[in-house]
Amino acid sequence: MPTVAVDLHSHTRFFHSPRGRPTAYDPVGLRLQTAMARRRGLDALAVTNHDYAYSAETAFPTVPGIEVSTTRGHVLIVGPDPPARTTPGELTPAETVDIAHERDCAAILAHPFRGSTARRSGAAFDAVEINGKNPEHEARTRRLADRLDLPLTGGSDAHYPVEVGRAYTLVEVDDAPTPRAVADAVRAGRTEPVLQYDGFQRVLDRAYTAIHARRSSRSTGE
């Protein structure tokens, strides 16, 4: 069975919308992200803005997705038909998984140790993510996946094109990495995460975190 490289977690905007609001799709951001994915040798890219899915035709294979802000943390829905929008903080992890499966998608527990308690919700996730922003959580995430008896995926959580591919997933598919094929492979456990996090990515993360904190303090008037 062929193996393809898919980054299962990316965003089309440099920054999220203010807390409590979906982050809309940005076609320019998508073009930049897919161009970098191609340059990095990936075979497909999942686009997972916060609480807002996208619909677009691209030359590079993309997997529709959405990062749902559940009541207990973030859950990725990836596959052929993710919900177009979700309301931040409204759905439970279990409800999010149900929606994913009703739409022939996969539900992945995103960055389980960053601001999330969804790992303790009892929801029937299809996989657990090793997140490209948190390489320090890799060992803990592997132990969590073992405890939950779930496969692992990798996703960069990229906002800037240079972040694409710092974590990705080797996915076994029958042929091309179509959205349905990728979702089916995740649900069947035919995945293996790859983490490529170097010194440049560490510097980039520190800069992004500082800028984001400054933007957040300005928006709240602090």
Side-chain angles (χ1 to χ4, degrees), residues 149-209:
D149 194 24
L150 291 174
L152 287 160
T153 64
S156 66
D157 204 350
H159 286 265
Y160 292 94
V162 294
E163 297 173 310
V164 170
R166 63 182 171 187
Y168 61 90
T169 308
L170 295 176
V171 183
E172 291 185 354
V173 296
D174 291 330
D175 189 10
T178 65
R180 186 177 298 278
V182 170
D184 287 348
V186 172
R187 294 181 66 173
R190 301 194 304 269
T191 60
E192 179 65 33
V194 178
L195 184 62
Q196 295 183 327
Y197 194 91
D198 55 21
F200 173 73
Q201 294 293 343
R202 291 186 180 88
V203 171
L204 192 65
D205 265 352
R206 286 196 292 268
Y208 178 86
T209 300

Side-chain angles (χ1 to χ4, degrees), residues 9 11 16 67 74 109-116 119 128-142 152-159 163 166-168 193-198 201-202 204-206 208-209:
H9 189 167
H11 301 271
H16 300 302
E67 185 172 8
H74 292 170
L109 174 57
H111 46 75
F113 297 104
R114 191 204 320 154
S116 175
R119 64 187 182 277
V128 180
E129 176 194 65
I130 292 179
N131 187 276
K133 281 186 176 177
N134 300 111
E136 71 277 11
H137 294 167
E138 180 182 6
R140 294 175 68 193
T141 303
R142 288 186 179 277
L152 287 160
T153 64
S156 66
D157 204 350
H159 286 265
E163 297 173 310
R166 63 182 171 187
Y168 61 90
V194 178
L195 184 62
Q196 295 183 327
Y197 194 91
D198 55 21
Q201 294 293 343
R202 291 186 180 88
L204 192 65
D205 265 352
R206 286 196 292 268
Y208 178 86
T209 300

Side-chain angles (χ1 to χ4, degrees), residues 50-74:
H50 281 187
D51 300 292
Y52 195 110
Y54 86 106
S55 177
E57 293 293 331
T58 63
F60 185 82
T62 53
V63 179
I66 185 169
E67 185 172 8
V68 181
S69 304
T70 77
T71 56
R72 300 188 62 171
H74 292 170

Side-chain angles (χ1 to χ4, degrees), residues 70-72 75 92-94 97 109 117-125 148:
T70 77
T71 56
R72 300 188 62 171
V75 177
T92 67
V97 172
L109 174 57
T117 60
R119 64 187 182 277
R120 298 194 291 268
S121 67
F125 302 111
L148 298 178

